[in-house]
Amino acid sequence: MSAPRVRVLGDHVVNKIAAGEVVDRPASVVKELLENALDAGADRIEIEVAGGGRTLVRVRDNGSGMSRDDALLCVERHATSKIRDADDIEGIATLGFRGEALAAIAAVSRFELRTGPGGEAPGTLLRMAGGRILEAADIGVPRGTEIWVRNLFFNVPARRKFLRTETTESAHVRQVVLLYALACPRVALRFEAERREVYRLPATETLEERIRALFTLPAPDALRRVFRETAGLRVHGFAGVPSLNRAERGDQYLFVNGRPASAPVLGYAVREAYRTLLPTGRHPMVFLFLEVPPNAVDVNVHPTKREVRFRHAAAIRDLVLEALRQALAVGRPAPPPVPAEGLPPPAPQPPAPLLPIADLPPPRTFVFPRLPTPPEGGSPANRRGLGAPAAAPDTPAGVAPPEAAASGGQEPWAWCRVLGQVGGLFVVLETEDGLVLMDPHAAHERVLFDRLMAEALAGRVRAQGLLTPETIELSPAEAEQVRANLPVLSAMGFGVSDFGAQAFIVDAVPALLPDLPVGDLLRETAQTAASAGARGGRERWSQERLAMAACKAAVKARDRLTLDEIERLVRDLAATEMPYTCPHGRPTLIHLGFDELRRKFGRA
Ligand code: ADP
Ligand code: MG
């Protein structure tokens, strides 16, 4: 019988292999030690590295410290004080929880730990090399923990070979320190590399102070405050103005529930928010803190990776995107600062109803003109040739089918009442013959568009001067388009003057659209104008495109409507020529007649 070839590996081999999962370079040692110090409640942390962290990483904190028993246990694999069973991972509130870091670090370095709870209790010194304990002794130490990690990978030549130059490793270490310095403004941090002080950061009350201590910003208003909350989700932080752009993506600091993180949706939202604001190949500077319910994020993807997964990625993308858009919109008042100790977690809310109608009282009744019943099938937009292609090849664009014309807008609705709102957006109306669901944004856009176009076609757009003219910077391509469209812009009530290079000054907007974020508008115009040339009736078409862009921008700028405004909206919408779609062709109203309901309930 031959000797068995399958063998269970010894602890030391296992630890060495596992260590590679947790620690792959000096920066990951710094990360793990920093996280432990923060988890221990330290408010003062000192970090020192030498040889890019290859020869030494030292982290000292004034946190809880450890008793002798804990000190001996903490270097064992899977030894942690932070969770007890698998369920705890769901609601994890600490940065660490795997209980692997110290064991891993100690397995691949010459490791020294000095720790103690302070006061009368003795402290402990533990010296190890390659995972073996060389010395354990009582010592006197102040409250806190100090860990020395020397000669990383001295016993794993294969790993050591993969380390980069001192400069490269040092840069990685610095990035880690920077991230945690941003994550914890209330913790005083000192960071020394190669015997030179890199950061000496006092504890600060706000993130903004910490950012200013870490970065030299060109202007005091180079950062816009970001804040937005929805059901159970919150994002806050700062967004750099577009002119603060970078050639590299490295200056995007993203945090999820207090820990540095990355996720494709976050990157996407940032890119998308700045898409029209930055030339291609340039990247914005952002500091974003996302707070989500712990059970809605999986931080357990990989021990060394910052990547997290979200359960409701789309909601998070929309939240971040909208928050950034708001922050970057011109003339928007900044939200109040978020204190460094953070806010209470965002209130968990059921997903609906959110109430953009600010003051919805019990249903009330009001009278307004009857809307023509929408024809069955086929978007009404098709009939006007707006946006969508014609529905049927034999229906020429711009001619309404006879049945719609016949039923069009004579009889008034005897009454109508706003019942409320569902899905955080849609307004529910009851009418004498059924239910109507209205998308108030789409409806608002239609109303604005019709008015603006009516004024434009009559050659009488009323302009309103801005109190403070705005300077808008565009990309070269956008600037060219805007320049080519200046006459149309001015006919539409925009006071835009060319300020040379890529800058424009806007000093007036159509009086109908006072809330307009003009920067968005110019960019949107530039993007749509490029395709305008080929069409016949270019003038009219340009006007339409511009009006569409303007109305979209204006509606986006105001997302809360009051009940009064909703009621007015219903009346105004009924008065438009094309009440059923917004100028981009999306429906404004969906009608559900009682006849249809009766049929569906088998009561016919
Ligand atoms: P984890 O952080 O995942 O629990 P670690 O291996 O990093 O695992 O640490 C193991 C344990 O050692 C921690 O759970 C904690 O109880 C203790 N510990 C580590 N570092 C410190 C420190 N700086 N101060 C106090 N306790 C610490
Ligand atoms: Mg840890």
Side-chain angles (χ1 to χ4, degrees), residues 87-173:
D87 290 347
D88 295 346
I89 298 176
E90 283 268 298
I92 194 82
T94 51
L95 294 164
F97 61 88
R98 290 187 169 78
E100 282 181 328
L102 291 187
I105 295 167
V108 294
S109 69
R110 301 185 200 281
F111 179 90
E112 193 173 313
L113 164 71
R114 290 159 185 270
T115 186
E120 298 297 290
T124 305
L125 162 72
L126 189 66
R127 282 205 307 120
M128 301 174 68
R132 289 172 214 271
I133 295 184
L134 306 177
E135 184 187 353
D138 284 350
I139 51 163
V141 283
R143 179 179 189 266
T145 301
E146 181 168 23
I147 289 176
W148 304 67
V149 177
R150 291 193 180 88
N151 307 111
L152 187 64
F153 301 135
F154 80 97
N155 56 344
V156 199
R159 276 271 165 195
R160 203 168 57 232
K161 274 209 298 264
F162 278 101
L163 290 182
R164 314 296 291 274
T165 60
E166 178 179 310
T167 325
T168 307
E169 294 301 338
S170 208
H172 283 278
V173 169

Side-chain angles (χ1 to χ4, degrees), residues 32-33 35-40 61 63-66 70 73-76 79-83 95-104 113 115 144-147:
E32 294 296 340
L33 297 184
E35 288 193 349
N36 282 346
L38 293 167
D39 282 345
D61 68 62
S64 63
M66 283 180 266
D70 283 350
L73 252 185
C74 74
V75 290
E76 299 281 333
T80 179
S81 56
K82 300 171 191 173
I83 59 170
L95 294 164
F97 61 88
R98 290 187 169 78
E100 282 181 328
L102 291 187
L113 164 71
T115 186
T145 301
E146 181 168 23
I147 289 176

Side-chain angles (χ1 to χ4, degrees), residues 351-435:
L354 283 175
L355 286 177
I357 298 182
D359 54 350
L360 191 68
R364 53 176 153 145
T365 301
F366 66 101
V367 177
F368 74 104
R370 184 191 216 2
L371 291 169
T373 312
E376 298 277 330
S379 154
N382 299 342
R383 291 183 269 116
R384 298 255 304 177
L386 262 185
D394 56 351
T395 312
V399 177
E403 75 275 23
S407 67
Q410 298 110 6
E411 299 163 71
W413 256 332
W415 58 272
C416 158
R417 55 181 185 144
V418 178
L419 294 181
Q421 212 170 14
V422 292
L425 172 68
F426 306 107
V427 174
V428 186
L429 306 169
E430 182 187 1
T431 68
E432 61 197 346
D433 58 2
L435 283 179

Side-chain angles (χ1 to χ4, degrees), residues 34 38 43-47 177-178 180-182 184 187-191 199-203 210:
L34 265 176
L38 293 167
D43 61 11
R44 176 165 297 276
I45 302 178
E46 222 174 274
I47 305 129
V177 175
L178 186 59
Y180 285 86
L182 288 166
C184 309
V187 176
L189 275 180
R190 204 175 97 83
F191 172 42
Y199 299 130
R200 178 192 288 274
L201 302 166
R210 180 54 57 96

Side-chain angles (χ1 to χ4, degrees), residues 509-549:
V509 295
L512 280 171
L513 310 172
D515 293 328
L516 202 61
V518 286
D520 285 5
L521 174 82
L522 286 192
R523 286 182 195 101
E524 195 131 2
T525 310
Q527 283 165 11
T528 50
S531 50
R535 305 269 182 132
R538 181 182 164 154
E539 166 94 357
R540 163 85 198 238
W541 197 78
S542 310
Q543 287 183 349
E544 277 185 3
R545 296 306 302 221
L546 182 57
M548 279 160 66

